Amino acid sequence: MIKNHLKIAWRILLHQKVFSLINILGLAVGLVACLLIVQYISFELSYDNFQKNGAAIYRIKHQNYSEGNLTENLPKTYSAVGPALKAEFPDVQEMTRVSKMEGQVSTQLPGGELTAFNERRLYMVDASFLKVFSFPLVKGTMAALNNPNSVVLTESTAKKYFPNQDAVGKTIKIQQQISGTNITAAITGICRDVPANSHLQFDFLVSQDLKAGDWLYPDFYTYVLLSPHTSQQAFEARLPAFMHKRISDGNPSSSFTLGKTNIGNIRLALQPLKDIHLYSNLTQEISTGGNGKMVWYLGLIAALILLIAYINYINLSTAKVIERAKEVGIRKVLGSQRIQLVTQFLFESMLINVFSIVVAVVVVIMSMPWFSTLCGVQMQFILWKDPVFLLGFTGVVLAGILLSALYPALVLSNYKPVQILKGKFPNMGGNITLRKSLVVFQFAATITFMIGTLIVYRQVNFMKSSNQGMDMKQTLIVLAPQSVRADDAAAINYASKDSVFQTELLRNPRIQSATSSSSIPGQNIDYVMSYSRPAIDAEEKAVRLPTFEIGGKFIDQFKVKIIAGDNFKFDFSARRQPMMLNEAAVVSLGFKNAEDAVGKIVQTKNGRGRVFENEIVGVIKNFHQTSLKDAFTPIVFRQIDPSSITHYELKVNSADMSATIAQVQKTYKGVFTDAAFDYFFLDEFFDQQYKTEQNFGQVFSLFSGFAIFVACLGLFGLTLITISQRIKEIGIRKILGASIPNILTLIAKDFVGLIIIANVIALPLAYWGSYQWLQNYQFRIQFSVWFFALPMLAVLIIALTTISFRAIKAAVANPVQSLRAE
């Protein structure tokens, strides 16, 4: 019996080639979209799941409040917090601290050749790092980081520095100017390359004896491994008392760091490891995270596209009911039972679904590398290894088979053979109403996707093309040498080389200007200091602000506008060091306005308690230090000391850029002979901040296109069925004088009415969803009527084109052919 059902199903599939192809293609496209999105969601949700102790690992968040307002929300805290927590709370089984570094790594190869690279994935860690995290070693033991100045490399890094050699036992030299690191480290272990779904992405783990740490600056990412069954809420409830005790009784310098009146304004919180990638909207993150809302938006899209695909199938199946009626009537006359008819429809549906699944899986496997590039992540199609997915996917497919087969089968098998053979179908109005409702639903979803796609594109384009408040065009960034200028002699030597380098650069006619800085736009400023104003009541109120050191030509080169006061005079011998603020920093320090701030004194204090006075000489108009997702960053600008230079900014001509870069490299290597040369363009670097939004927009657009294609494919199939059912009516109308436009209007008007209803439903849904998404951005586009009118009009035009493709053919056909049997 099964073999017989399969044979009949196969014959019907071949007999109805067009409808079979439409069904298979529609379902396949829907399944492709669903599988790709689910694989992406699975990857995003898998971050740090490979950590054996992942459920018990938490990161310490550091929150700074001022007058009840959250002013800093950091993933880093004081270096003393980890050891103090472990000493005081038995629940803390282990802790480790991580400090992210950038520096030059070099080694001497056996032939005497010096290999040097600027590295950005270098972590300074505690010896306990490998006890807390599960990064398996391929060489070495768990004690590989027990001794200071020992280093663990990843496999790829070991091959990069020591090709065809055993790296263990070799040494490397690490130079990092800002942290003062200048060490010769022994390689004691090799670990596997870090998985792409880890929020910790490193090439080097350098063990440092951080001891008990201090309470001065929140500069360390701190992770704790808690005992099983420890309650996060109960643990966090004990942290305020812990902080008050440590800050009040611990370190005299801490009173300045926090402000004498603000001791209770530092709060610590636990952040589960599994939440860091998708739900960590913190400044100074250790790596670029994802967006949990966007991930679930894509999940909704996947579900809707698959639903649209099955709606098409159900629509076409119910529309074909009348064409299959005589077949069912004859079967019933010949003795077929209702269960046999239902089984036959189920086998037909199963055959179409099987073909669709096979096509979809092949397409997904072939397109996965391209899709990974589009999403900006490294992933493979491994969903089939997940039993939960297999169970869920099987359930969805079975539900689709049943829904798409049972309804037409039950409707037809319920009629009496005499009614069917006479062409009488009572209660068919319900069938038509269901079909129209499904068409409205799928087009409402499609129109919503299109509006969402347009708004995402406009927001990303707005952020990339908006005036950033500074001129970053044609700016070449060259990384400064990472050699440490630890003593006066070394600092003087470097200052001399810095002067020579910038002077030599300006001899090149392709370079219009050159300057230097301690950071660059598009970068979170890690150098944060506490500033206070001497108040009338003689109390201090400290505010922590990012501090940006800039060269003499920085403001002019970047065309930053000074709205009050003047630029630096660059006099390091002055008793009071000059400083400038941006407008946001003026507000943070409590000045009435920019003019009020100029000439005022602001105090800072170093870790030894020494007070320094700074005079505000000017106020800079706000510019976007980071992306337009965030509010303006309050920034203090100070004149740069050569020992603080991390980047050189060169304004260059666009002509023959490769020759310009080659000349800059030659000049650089001529002055800094042992330093690695590294460069990039500032505008490209700045736009990397929008990578998540760009990828989301591309993926959203792709699957919106899938939704439109599937919906139009279904509309095309319904048009074919409608025309075939009304072919005699069309013939009679042509004989009676109906024109081609009349016939097109006749066929299209019902579908156009449904699409108009879909537009009415989609409009408020799209507005609400877009409004909610845009609230994630401090600077965002304003809604325009065209954001909604254009997609609605586009869907209408696409639908009319789809309908007209077949309707015109029917309208121009010879009516004699359709009326031959009458």
Side-chain angles (χ1 to χ4, degrees), residues 326-604:
K326 290 184 179 179
E327 173 197 339
V328 172
I330 293 172
R331 285 176 179 274
K332 295 192 74 172
V333 169
L334 295 176
S336 291
Q337 301 298 315
R338 187 173 190 179
I339 185 64
Q340 293 174 313
L341 294 172
V342 171
T343 303
Q344 181 61 52
F345 275 93
L346 285 173
F347 268 88
E348 293 174 19
S349 180
M350 182 185 68
L351 198 61
I352 288 176
N353 275 268
V354 167
F355 278 119
S356 301
I357 292 171
V358 171
V359 171
V361 170
V362 171
V363 171
V364 167
I365 292 173
M366 293 177 63
S367 62
M368 186 55 67
W370 169 80
F371 183 65
S372 297
T373 303
L374 186 72
C375 295
V377 296
Q378 302 173 22
M379 59 182 176
Q380 298 176 328
F381 183 61
I382 55 173
L383 284 174
W384 57 273
K385 295 181 180 180
D386 186 350
V388 176
F389 165 77
L390 289 178
L391 185 63
F393 183 71
T394 302
V396 168
V397 171
L398 288 176
I401 292 173
L402 291 173
L403 288 174
S404 56
L406 283 180
Y407 180 77
L410 292 176
V411 168
L412 285 176
S413 62
N414 194 44
Y415 292 137
K416 295 179 180 179
V418 175
Q419 290 177 319
I420 296 175
L421 294 175
K422 287 183 177 181
K424 296 180 179 180
F425 302 98
N427 302 320
M428 284 300 291
N431 184 359
I432 296 172
T433 301
L434 173 65
R435 193 161 69 244
K436 288 182 176 181
S437 300
L438 294 176
V439 169
V440 169
F441 172 83
Q442 67 178 163
F443 272 95
T446 301
I447 294 162
T448 303
F449 288 160
M450 288 190 70
I451 294 172
T453 299
L454 180 58
I455 289 177
V456 170
Y457 168 79
R458 291 289 299 170
Q459 175 64 21
V460 174
N461 188 62
F462 167 75
M463 292 190 295
K464 293 181 65 176
S465 61
S466 291
N467 182 7
Q468 311 293 342
M470 57 167 23
D471 181 13
M472 294 186 291
K473 295 177 182 177
Q474 299 302 128
T475 300
L476 180 70
I477 302 296
V478 177
L479 266 63
Q482 297 299 309
S483 56
V484 178
R485 280 80 81 176
D487 53 47
D488 292 340
I492 292 171
N493 181 46
Y494 179 79
S496 174
K497 288 187 175 184
D498 166 60
S499 177
V500 171
F501 177 58
Q502 295 201 46
T503 301
E504 289 296 318
L505 284 174
L506 295 176
R507 295 181 188 276
N508 188 338
R510 295 190 180 98
I511 299 175
Q512 299 171 5
S513 63
T515 188
S516 57
S517 65
S518 63
S519 185
I520 55 173
Q523 220 177 36
N524 282 313
I525 302 173
D526 291 335
Y527 184 29
V528 181
M529 293 187 65
S530 291
Y531 296 89
S532 63
R533 295 174 55 196
I536 298 175
D537 57 2
E539 291 185 348
E540 289 178 334
K541 181 180 178 183
V543 179
R544 285 175 49 80
L545 296 174
T547 303
F548 198 157
E549 296 189 27
I550 58 176
K553 297 180 181 179
F554 186 93
I555 289 177
D556 291 335
Q557 179 172 309
F558 282 97
K559 298 180 182 179
V560 177
K561 186 177 180 181
I562 298 176
I563 60 174
D566 202 356
N567 199 350
F568 294 121
K569 295 296 188 293
F570 281 80
D571 182 7
F572 285 96
S573 63
R575 184 174 66 89
R576 290 174 176 169
Q577 290 299 306
M579 61 184 281
M580 301 179 74
L581 308 176
N582 68 350
E583 294 172 282
V586 168
V587 174
S588 296
L589 285 169
F591 293 109
K592 296 178 183 178
N593 50 48
E595 289 74 15
D596 178 46
V598 176
K600 296 297 193 300
I601 304 302
V602 176
Q603 293 180 342
T604 58

Side-chain angles (χ1 to χ4, degrees), residues 694-716:
Q694 284 181 290
N695 291 337
F696 176 71
Q698 290 172 341
V699 173
F700 201 97
S701 300
L702 171 67
F703 293 115
S704 294
F706 276 3
I708 294 168
F709 175 77
V710 173
C712 289
L713 199 64
L715 191 61
F716 180 74

Side-chain angles (χ1 to χ4, degrees), residues 20-90:
S20 299
L21 182 62
I22 290 174
N23 281 328
I24 292 172
L25 188 59
L27 284 179
V29 170
L31 288 169
V32 166
C34 184
L35 289 173
L36 288 174
I37 293 177
V38 171
Q39 178 61 73
Y40 173 74
I41 293 173
S42 175
F43 176 81
E44 289 290 294
L45 296 178
S46 73
Y47 263 74
D48 297 308
N49 284 352
F50 64 90
Q51 301 287 355
K52 295 179 181 178
N53 300 317
I57 298 175
Y58 296 84
R59 187 172 65 181
I60 306 297
K61 289 197 300 183
H62 182 106
Q63 298 171 322
N64 193 356
Y65 287 81
S66 177
E67 299 179 356
N69 298 316
L70 181 64
T71 57
E72 279 188 303
N73 196 12
L74 302 174
K76 302 188 287 187
T77 188
Y78 306 118
S79 59
V81 166
L85 286 173
K86 186 178 180 183
E88 184 159 330
F89 296 112

